[in-house]
């Protein structure tokens, strides 16, 4: 949202100018002087906190000496800065103007008081200047001056940081020789004298006089930057980039933690950590922060994550409002325990699905049943198998055409669906059931390889997948997942829809749970129909109906009667699947989570859909302590509804949290503004605007483009966060502070 200048007769705003805009100070005395000089009577009634939060003055109203530039990207005022440059007369030339920033007309008595106050201030400043000048003259000799060697060191560090940032952002490996890398240890590979030194030499050849002077007397084979110093530079780069993001998170206070799939590095598996927050421009962002070691038991990892968030990054878990994780199998099981432990300690950190993962996929990934995890793994491998080559996709299209003869509509749907990442869809299991026969036919054809057009690796992968597809346990598990999760499919799809869809989904949870309980109460009947569907599919695929071989082997040691396949799968598959889905839906959509989602009625378009007959007060208690003025919340909510109910015909209702926060009038509703910002951090809501899940996409791009043996956690942070502005001067200061011996040695 743009900042507007509060000065009379000033129409500047941040989107039309490169000028800096400054908040009114919180200090009561300085704030009073700012208001007094502005000559706006309407500002005199407001508190310093209100002025600081909602009003700005542009740099044109300050003497140049009052403004200092701490970096290329940051402009600040001096601590004693007072605005003195104002246009208080130009509106007089237009008697018909109706300026909303009315200028206060001062009485003679008020003018006299202002003159006296300014005179006293001038005398104090003069005396202070004299005192400061005397102190400066006494202490000038004590101020350390930089030697030429120290200046050259700083310039060398700036050049080195520029090269390091380039390597990170462009994902260059430190070495260009892969065979040499295989012979080196991990540390030797990372900090060898390959591309880093080559880029330094390139800067010297391009005319970098500081680098040239530093190394003009060096031996030809001498490294410009030793391995130890390279490591230090890289750590400082990563720290500064991360701190830039964390500073923005601290300013907005509230955040959510999102974790991704485990990532392999040369030193083991690590968990990617993302923070989701609303920045000062009221834009929802999800930024990558760091890779966390995943070694140890769940309790150890939970403590490590909490310690990193609080002690390592300076955040307060009391301000964490949401948690979400991705992962299946063992990772999903461990993350469920970890997030539950954090929620038990911090109840406001509700657990939600991620906005990038369909609810049904999330539920299936979390099931610890071996058969379910085999299904999820095989489906992912199948999808990736055909996406690897257009020729393989063509082979699958041919199989679909053979099996869908006479049904052109189904053929078109399956071909189009198979070309997408269908394993991420809400109707994944419906799609998989329809594709199962074509998949098996295609895999068998590729494995036979009669035309010898497929490589050994392709035929081997096709054989492994076909063996899994042609197993009755796989077929019956897939069919039961399709039917059991059909009751949550529409609910999950709405969760990833528009804001109005999410609101109605939150209010439909009772119906979803009722359906799940109804199935559990009549499991015998439902399982009979589902099992019959699986048997018919297996028969069409010529797959024998049988109990899993592993179970039969275990039963050989126990003297029991022979178990039938239908009874076995009801007891060991259908029953635990239904119990898990029902309980998991209850756990995910806890009371606090549902209350938060129902407060989406604060979005004007949702209000309009409900004919402005909403009752946010009954759910707003969840975040009452987070609001700036909780006592005035009921009255403010009433005014908020009235504002949108009686809007002009030409005014459209904002349909998302992002659009609502960008509206200019939201700042006059501080509680609503704060409430919407907190809601936006919940990971279940999709990200609007230009920052939609870019961090996760950049992470995937980095992993795709970088082999495991060449991955580096520090460089990955720079690569994924290449959009974050960097300050070379700040990096130099940070480096010299962390490694003071470098400055002393030079």
């Amino acid at each position: 949202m743009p900042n507007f200048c509060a000065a009379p007769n000033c129409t500047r705003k941040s989107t039309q100018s490169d000028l800096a805009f400054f908040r009114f100070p919180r200090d009561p005395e300085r704030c009073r002087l700012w208001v007094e000089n502005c000559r706006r009577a309407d500002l005199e009634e407001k508190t310093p906190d209100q002025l600081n939060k909602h009003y700005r003055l542009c740099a044109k109203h300050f003497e140049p000496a009052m403004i200092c530039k701490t970096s290329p990207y940051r402009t600040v005022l001096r601590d004693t800065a007072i605005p003195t440059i104002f246009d208080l007369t130009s509106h007089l030339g237009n008697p018909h103007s109706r300026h909303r920033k009315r200028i206060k007309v001062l009485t003679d008595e008020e003018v006299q008081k202002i003159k006296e106050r300014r005179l006293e201030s001038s005398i104090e400043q003069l005396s202070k200047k004299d005192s400061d000048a005397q102190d400066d003259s006494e202490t000038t000799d004590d101020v350390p001056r930089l030697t030429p060697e120290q200046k050259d060191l700083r310039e060398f560090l700036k050049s080195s940081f520029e090269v390091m940032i380039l390597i990170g952002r462009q994902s260059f490996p430190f070495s260009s020789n892969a065979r040499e890398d295989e012979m080196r240890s991990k540390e030797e590979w990372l900090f060898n004298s390959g591309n880093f030194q080559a880029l330094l030499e390139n800067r010297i050849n391009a005319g970098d006089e500081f680098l040239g002077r530093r190394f003009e007397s060096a031996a030809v084979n001498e490294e410009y930057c030793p391995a130890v110093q390279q490591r230090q530079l890289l750590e400082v780069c990563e720290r500064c980039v991360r701190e830039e993001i964390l500073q923005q998170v601290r300013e907005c206070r509230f955040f959510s933690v999102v974790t991704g799939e485990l990532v392999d590095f040369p030193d083991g598996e690590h968990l990617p950590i993302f923070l989701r927050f609303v920045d000062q421009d009221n834009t929802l962002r999800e930024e990558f922060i760091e890779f966390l070691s995943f070694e140890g038991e769940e309790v150890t990892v939970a403590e490590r994550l909490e310690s990193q968030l609080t002690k390592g990054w300076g955040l307060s878990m009391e301000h964490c409002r949401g948690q979400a994780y991705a992962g299946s199998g063992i990772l999903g099981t461990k993350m469920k325990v970890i997030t539950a432990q954090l929620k038990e300690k911090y109840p406001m950190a509700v657990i939600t699905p991620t906005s990038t993962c369909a609810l049904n996929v999330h539920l299936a990934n979390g099931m610890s049943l071996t058969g379910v995890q085999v299904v999820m793994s095989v489906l992912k491998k199948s999808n990736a198998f055909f996406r690897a080559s257009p020729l393989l996709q063509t082979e699958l299209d041919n199989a679909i055409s053979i099996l869908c003869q006479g049904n052109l509509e189904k053929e078109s749907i399956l071909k189009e669906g198979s070309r997408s990442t269908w394993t991420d869809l809400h109707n994944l299991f419906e799609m998989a059931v329809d594709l199962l026969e074509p998949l098996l036919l295609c895999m068998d054809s590729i494995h036979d390889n009669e035309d010898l057009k497929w490589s050994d690796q392709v035929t081997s992968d096709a054989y492994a997948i076909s063996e899994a597809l042609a197993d009755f346990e796989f077929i019956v598990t897939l069919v039961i997942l399709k039917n059991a999760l059909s009751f949550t499919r529409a609910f999950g799809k709405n969760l990833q829809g528009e804001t109005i869809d999410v609101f109605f989904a939150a209010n439909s949870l009772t119906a979803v749970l009722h359906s799940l309980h109804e199935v559990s109460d009549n499991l015998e009947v439902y399982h009979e129909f589902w099992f019959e569907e699986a048997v018919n599919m297996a028969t069409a695929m010529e797959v024998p109906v049988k109990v899993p071989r592993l179970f039969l082997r275990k039963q050989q040691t126990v003297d029991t009667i022979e178990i039938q396949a239908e009874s076995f799968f009801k007891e060991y598959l259908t029953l635990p699947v239904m119990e898990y889905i029902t309980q998991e839906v209850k756990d995910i959509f806890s009371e606090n989570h549902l209350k938060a989602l129902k407060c989406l009625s604060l979005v004007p378009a949702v209000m309009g859909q409900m004919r402005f007959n909403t009752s946010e007060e009954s759910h707003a208690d969840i975040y009452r302590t987070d609001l700036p003025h909780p006592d005035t919340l009921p009255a403010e909510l009433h005014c908020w509804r009235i504002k949108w109910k009686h809007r002009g015909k030409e005014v459209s209702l904002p349909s998302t949290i992002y659009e609502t926060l960008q509206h200019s009038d939201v700042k006059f509703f501080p509680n609503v503004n704060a409430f919407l910002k907190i809601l936006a951090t919940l990971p279940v809501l999709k990200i609007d605007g230009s920052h939609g899940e870019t961090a996760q996409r950049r992470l995937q791009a980095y992993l795709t483009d970088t082999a495991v043996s060449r991955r580096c956690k520090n460089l990955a942070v720079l690569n994924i966060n290449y959009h974050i502005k960097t300050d070379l001067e700040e990096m130099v200061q940070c480096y010299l502070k962390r490694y003071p011996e470098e400055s002393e040695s030079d």
Side-chain angles (χ1 to χ4, degrees):
M1 187 170 64
N3 291 315
F4 294 87
C5 184
N9 296 320
C10 183
T11 59
R12 298 181 184 88
K13 60 180 179 179
S14 57
T15 56
Q16 298 175 346
S17 172
D18 293 332
L19 282 175
F21 281 71
F22 306 107
R23 299 173 183 267
F24 276 65
R26 279 199 171 93
D27 177 67
E29 181 59 25
R30 281 188 65 213
C31 188
R32 183 184 62 77
L33 292 175
W34 281 42
V35 172
E36 184 180 274
N37 288 0
C38 279
R39 296 270 295 277
R40 281 186 58 183
D42 59 315
L43 299 185
E44 293 180 354
E45 302 173 355
K46 302 187 182 299
T47 65
D49 283 341
Q50 290 174 325
L51 292 167
N52 176 266
K53 186 173 293 185
H54 301 303
Y55 293 89
R56 312 282 190 275
L57 287 179
C58 69
K60 287 291 185 181
H61 305 291
F62 296 87
E63 297 288 346
M66 294 292 100
I67 301 173
C68 56
K69 205 172 183 68
T70 59
S71 77
Y73 311 109
R74 186 172 176 81
T75 303
V76 298
L77 288 174
R78 298 190 182 279
D79 293 339
T80 57
I82 302 294
T84 56
I85 305 172
F86 293 95
D87 174 13
L88 304 176
T89 59
S90 64
H91 67 288
L92 299 177
N94 183 7
H96 302 291
S97 65
R98 298 173 58 191
H99 207 287
R100 66 180 180 85
K101 298 184 281 189
R102 297 186 181 277
I103 299 174
K104 179 180 179 181
V105 179
L106 301 178
T107 64
D108 293 340
E109 184 179 352
E110 288 174 329
V111 171
Q112 183 62 31
K113 286 183 178 180
I114 290 176
K115 288 181 178 179
E116 291 176 358
R117 197 179 298 119
R118 287 179 177 174
L119 179 61
E120 292 175 0
S121 177
S122 299
I123 294 173
E124 290 179 2
Q125 289 182 7
L126 286 172
S127 61
K128 185 178 180 181
K129 283 182 180 179
D130 293 340
S131 175
D132 290 345
Q134 185 176 357
D135 292 342
D136 290 343
S137 62
E138 293 175 356
T139 59
T140 299
D141 296 336
D142 298 331
V143 177
R145 294 180 178 275
L146 294 177
T147 64
E149 291 79 9
Q150 289 174 326
K151 290 181 180 179
D152 281 357
L153 172 62
R154 288 174 177 267
E155 293 298 331
F156 163 70
L157 290 175
K158 287 174 64 176
S159 298
S160 299
F161 279 127
E162 281 190 291
V163 171
M164 195 66 72
I165 292 169
L166 176 66
I167 288 176
R169 289 180 173 176
Q170 300 300 325
S171 195
F172 292 154
F174 271 83
S175 169
S176 57
N177 193 327
R179 181 167 295 181
E180 288 181 8
D181 291 345
E182 295 175 0
M183 304 300 294
R184 294 186 174 98
S185 66
K186 296 173 186 175
E187 189 166 308
E188 287 175 336
W189 165 81
L190 180 57
F191 301 106
N192 68 80
S193 58
N195 288 337
F196 185 80
Q197 179 154 331
L199 288 170
L200 285 179
E201 291 175 354
N202 184 67
R203 287 185 65 93
I204 294 174
N205 295 333
D208 190 320
E209 59 183 42
F210 293 100
L211 284 178
R213 185 164 62 250
R214 184 177 180 87
F215 299 114
E216 61 184 2
S217 59
V220 175
N221 61 345
E222 182 179 342
E223 287 189 349
Y224 293 159
C225 189
V228 174
Q229 193 171 27
Q230 286 185 42
R231 188 188 311 109
Q232 294 170 349
L233 291 169
L234 188 54
E235 289 174 354
V236 169
C237 275
E238 178 196 14
R239 179 182 294 268
C240 289
V241 169
R242 183 187 302 113
E243 183 58 30
E244 180 68 25
I245 301 172
L246 292 174
Q247 183 59 37
Q248 298 178 54
V249 179
R250 297 186 199 106
E251 289 175 357
C252 70
R253 289 177 62 201
F254 301 106
F255 64 93
S256 289
V257 182
V258 181
T259 61
E261 297 272 6
L262 285 179
V263 176
D264 289 323
F265 283 96
D267 58 342
E269 292 182 324
H270 286 71
L271 189 70
I273 309 294
F274 302 84
L275 292 182
R276 183 176 168 120
F277 61 98
V278 177
D279 63 18
Q280 293 296 321
D281 293 326
N282 287 338
T283 301
L284 175 60
R285 294 165 56 186
E286 191 173 288
E287 300 288 2
F288 172 73
I289 304 298
E290 192 176 11
F291 291 101
L292 186 75
S293 173
F294 204 65
E295 292 183 355
E297 299 297 324
E298 291 89 338
V299 176
T300 304
V301 177
E303 291 175 351
R304 185 182 300 135
L305 176 58
E306 181 186 0
S307 175
Q308 190 72 313
L309 285 164
T310 55
K311 298 177 182 178
W313 300 339
L315 303 175
S316 171
M317 283 299 294
E318 299 294 341
H319 294 154
C320 181
R321 291 294 170 265
Q323 305 177 74
Y325 62 89
S328 59
I330 296 176
L331 172 62
T333 303
K334 293 184 72 171
M335 286 307 304
K336 184 178 179 181
V337 175
I338 292 168
T339 52
Q341 288 183 352
L342 291 176
K343 184 176 181 293
E344 183 179 358
K345 194 171 182 179
Y346 305 100
M348 297 302 293
V350 298
I351 303 171
T352 80
T354 64
S355 60
T356 56
C357 180
L359 176 63
N360 278 0
V361 176
H362 176 80
L363 292 172
N365 281 337
M367 295 184 197
S368 57
L369 297 172
T370 303
V372 174
Q373 292 307 315
V374 168
V375 168
M376 298 304 293
S377 175
V378 172
L379 292 182
K380 290 178 182 177
K381 289 178 181 177
S382 301
N383 187 230
F385 180 81
F386 290 105
R387 290 173 66 86
S389 168
L391 293 177
L392 292 171
Q393 183 63 51
T394 302
E395 195 76 14
L396 179 59
D397 289 345
N398 294 335
I400 293 173
S401 298
I402 293 172
L403 292 171
C404 292
Q405 290 180 357
N407 192 340
L408 296 179
E409 182 180 359
K410 182 178 180 180
E411 178 182 344
S412 176
I413 292 174
L414 289 181
K415 285 183 178 180
E416 183 179 355
S418 66
R419 294 188 185 99
S420 65
T421 309
W422 50 272
T423 51
D424 294 337
L425 299 177
H426 296 281
N427 62 339
L428 157 65
F429 301 104
E430 287 80 2
M431 176 71 72
V433 167
D434 290 338
L435 277 175
L436 193 55
E437 287 188 70
L439 281 174
L440 183 58
L441 177 62
C442 180
M443 293 297 179
D444 287 342
S445 173
I446 294 173
H447 172 60
D448 289 343
N449 201 17
E450 293 179 353
D451 298 333
L452 301 178
K453 64 178 180 179
W454 308 114
S455 67
D456 291 341
Q457 183 63 50
V458 170
T459 56
S460 175
D461 292 341
Y463 176 75
I465 294 174
S466 67
E467 284 292 295
L469 297 177
D471 181 58
F472 182 71
E473 184 180 7
F474 179 93
I475 297 172
V476 71
T477 302
L478 179 60
V479 170
I480 288 174
L481 284 175
K482 182 203 76 168
N483 289 286
L485 291 170
S486 64
F487 301 99
T488 57
R489 185 179 68 245
F491 175 75
K493 186 176 181 180
N494 284 337
L495 281 177
Q496 289 188 311
E498 300 302 323
T499 306
I500 185 69
D501 299 323
V502 181
F503 174 76
F504 284 126
N507 287 278
S508 68
L509 180 65
T510 303
V512 173
L513 290 174
H514 176 76
S515 299
L516 292 173
H517 285 303
E518 198 271 336
V519 173
S520 298
D521 293 341
N522 300 277
L523 192 65
E524 189 82 29
V525 177
Y526 280 92
H527 175 73
E528 183 179 345
F529 284 108
W530 298 350
F531 187 78
E532 183 180 355
E533 181 184 350
V535 170
N536 292 337
M537 179 173 287
T539 302
M541 297 170 61
E542 300 179 346
V543 175
V545 177
K546 60 181 181 179
V547 175
R549 179 178 54 84
L550 182 60
F551 177 79
L552 292 176
R553 178 183 297 176
K554 292 179 180 179
Q555 288 298 100
Q556 290 176 359
T557 59
V558 182
D559 186 16
T560 59
I561 61 174
E562 182 179 355
I563 189 170
Q564 297 298 316
E566 182 176 351
S567 301
F568 169 82
F569 286 110
K570 185 187 77 171
E571 181 179 353
Y572 292 99
L573 182 61
T574 306
L575 178 61
V577 164
M578 288 306 304
E579 288 178 345
Y580 176 86
I581 293 173
T582 305
Q583 188 58 48
E584 186 69 5
V585 169
K586 290 179 180 178
D587 291 343
I588 293 176
F589 299 97
S590 60
E591 182 180 1
N592 283 347
H593 189 186
L594 278 182
K595 281 185 175 181
L597 294 181
K598 288 178 180 180
C599 287
L600 289 172
S601 56
L602 288 170
V603 176
V606 180
M607 281 186 179
Q609 189 73 20
M610 301 296 293
R611 298 184 181 278
F612 299 96
N613 185 24
T614 55
S615 56
E616 295 83 8
E617 293 91 338
S618 58
H619 309 299
D621 286 342
I622 180 177
Y623 296 135
R624 180 171 289 273
T625 57
D626 299 333
L627 304 180
H629 308 292
D631 296 337
T632 63
L633 179 61
E636 186 176 315
L637 291 176
H638 175 73
C639 294
W640 180 251
R641 280 192 292 270
I642 295 300
K643 168 187 168 51
W644 294 108
K645 185 176 182 179
H646 298 290
R647 71 194 186 282
K649 292 183 178 180
E650 71 284 355
V651 178
S652 60
L653 294 173
S655 60
T656 66
I657 294 179
Y658 176 77
E659 290 179 8
T660 308
L661 288 174
Q662 297 301 314
H663 199 279
S664 59
D665 287 347
V666 75
K667 63 184 178 183
F668 299 113
F669 298 86
N671 288 318
V672 173
N673 189 27
F675 217 117
L676 291 173
K677 287 183 177 180
I678 297 171
L679 286 177
T681 64
L682 294 179
V684 70
L685 301 177
K686 69 177 184 178
I687 297 179
D688 297 305
S690 60
H691 293 275
E693 291 97 26
T694 51
Q696 296 197 33
R697 289 203 297 268
R698 288 172 184 154
L699 171 60
Q700 291 305 316
Y702 174 81
L703 299 179
T704 302
D705 297 339
T706 312
V708 174
S709 60
R710 285 178 173 268
R711 290 175 186 170
C712 167
K713 296 188 291 294
N714 312 89
L715 286 177
V717 173
L718 299 182
N719 179 262
I720 299 167
N721 293 309
Y722 70 81
H723 61 294
I724 300 297
K725 292 181 179 179
T726 54
D727 187 341
L728 296 178
E729 290 289 351
E730 182 181 344
M731 287 184 175
V732 170
Q733 292 294 339
C734 180
Y735 180 88
L736 294 176
K737 186 176 180 179
R738 283 180 62 83
Y739 307 106
E741 66 277 2
E742 294 291 332
S743 177
E744 294 172 0
S745 64
D746 269 70

